[in-house]
Amino acid sequence: MKAILGFISFVLVASGVTGLLHQWVDWMPTIFGFSRFIVPDGHEVLGYVVMTLLGGAVGFLSDAVKKHVAA
């Protein structure tokens, strides 16, 4: 479970950060191309910020799952 949540966290954070860099600097290619289908048109920056924050929250959740299972 921890590995799955860690992977989901990585995908969300990486796609959010590369999406933000692509929007602001316009030089970073989108590594995870599917993220453009998740974020609504016209709200790209907000969508990528939410995606990055959600990835961080899932990362903290994966650490909590590890501690809860070990106890």
Side-chain angles (χ1 to χ4, degrees):
M1 182 74 169
K2 183 181 180 319
I4 294 170
L5 289 175
F7 177 73
I8 291 171
S9 171
F10 168 74
V11 168
L12 285 172
V13 169
S15 105
V17 168
T18 58
L20 284 172
L21 285 174
H22 183 71
Q23 287 295 317
W24 289 336
V25 183
D26 201 27
W27 68 269
M28 184 75 180
T30 54
I31 295 172
F32 299 102
F34 67 87
S35 65
R36 70 177 184 261
F37 297 115
I38 296 172
V39 177
D41 292 334
H43 301 285
E44 287 87 4
V45 174
L46 179 63
Y48 290 131
V49 167
V50 168
M51 196 178 297
T52 303
L53 293 175
L54 185 64
V58 170
F60 285 123
L61 179 67
S62 71
D63 288 339
V65 166
K66 175 185 160 189
K67 291 176 185 174
H68 185 267
V69 170

